[in-house]
Amino acid sequence: MRIEWWILLSVYAVATGIVFFIPKNKLRLAVVAFLFTQIITFLIGLVVVELGLLKYPIRLFTTINRTSFTFEYYAFPVVCSAFNVWYPNDRSTLIQLGYYVGVGSLLTLVEVIIEKYTDLIEYIHWEWYITLLTICLSFFVTRLFCVWFFEKGYSNT
């Protein structure tokens, strides 16, 4: 089996592991963040691939979709859920900004390494800083939605 398939399996294992660490009292927040992030990644992911900015040479469901199902529909939404669950609400703006940049930078670093050494992703008209920007923007938009959703009283908590 090629290294790319081992990486995909590992991503599924790690993302699933993250799910088990979400506290029970935050499950609603995690589910809302997960589903909302899937909406964002579905739309943006398709646009980016169709415009030829990124390419995913090795991926699941090759005949159905040219985006990375693993990243767009599972791994990133899980990470975004965890991001929202453990968001430092009661901390300073500087800490909150650092949280965005720190988590976004970690994901960007992993993607850059994967892009450089595997065939899972290929940058065509894309750069690492665009990844960092889009990840942080996705976190921000999802965070805004979750705050709005739960402030409106749609939760029983």
Side-chain angles (χ1 to χ4, degrees):
M1 187 183 294
R2 293 179 64 171
I3 188 70
E4 287 83 1
W5 293 106
W6 284 109
I7 291 171
L8 289 175
L9 286 172
S10 299
V11 167
Y12 277 104
V14 169
T16 303
I18 290 171
V19 169
F20 288 110
F21 285 101
I22 293 175
K24 275 189 171 184
N25 65 334
K26 300 275 188 162
L27 278 177
R28 284 191 182 112
L29 172 61
V31 169
V32 168
F34 181 86
L35 294 173
F36 186 77
T37 304
Q38 282 186 324
I39 293 168
I40 294 171
T41 59
F42 171 74
L43 296 172
I44 303 300
L46 284 176
V47 168
V48 166
V49 167
E50 292 301 320
L51 290 176
L53 304 175
L54 288 175
K55 183 176 164 185
Y56 298 98
I58 297 177
R59 63 189 184 277
L60 296 176
F61 310 116
T62 56
T63 58
I64 298 170
N65 196 337
R66 291 193 296 174
T67 64
S68 172
F69 180 85
T70 303
F71 181 75
E72 309 283 355
Y73 302 106
Y74 189 64
F76 186 66
V78 165
V79 170
C80 200
S81 293
F83 177 90
N84 278 278
V85 164
W86 292 303
Y87 187 79
N89 286 314
D90 301 328
R91 305 294 299 268
S92 71
T93 304
L94 187 61
I95 297 288
Q96 292 174 356
L97 183 61
Y99 188 66
Y100 278 97
V101 173
V103 177
S105 296
L106 180 63
L107 291 176
T108 301
L109 177 64
V110 170
E111 181 177 287
V112 167
I113 291 169
I114 288 172
E115 193 272 336
K116 185 172 182 169
Y117 296 107
T118 72
D119 288 331
L120 289 173
I121 186 170
E122 181 182 326
Y123 289 174
I124 299 170
H125 302 289
W126 198 264
E127 297 293 334
W128 66 268
Y129 55 85
I130 301 171
T131 295
L132 179 60
L133 180 67
T134 56
I135 286 172
C136 288
L137 189 59
S138 297
F139 284 159
F140 182 71
V141 171
T142 302
R143 182 83 193 135
L144 284 178
F145 179 79
C146 288
V147 167
W148 170 82
F149 185 85
F150 288 104
E151 279 183 357
K152 291 291 184 183
Y154 298 115
S155 164
N156 291 333
T157 56

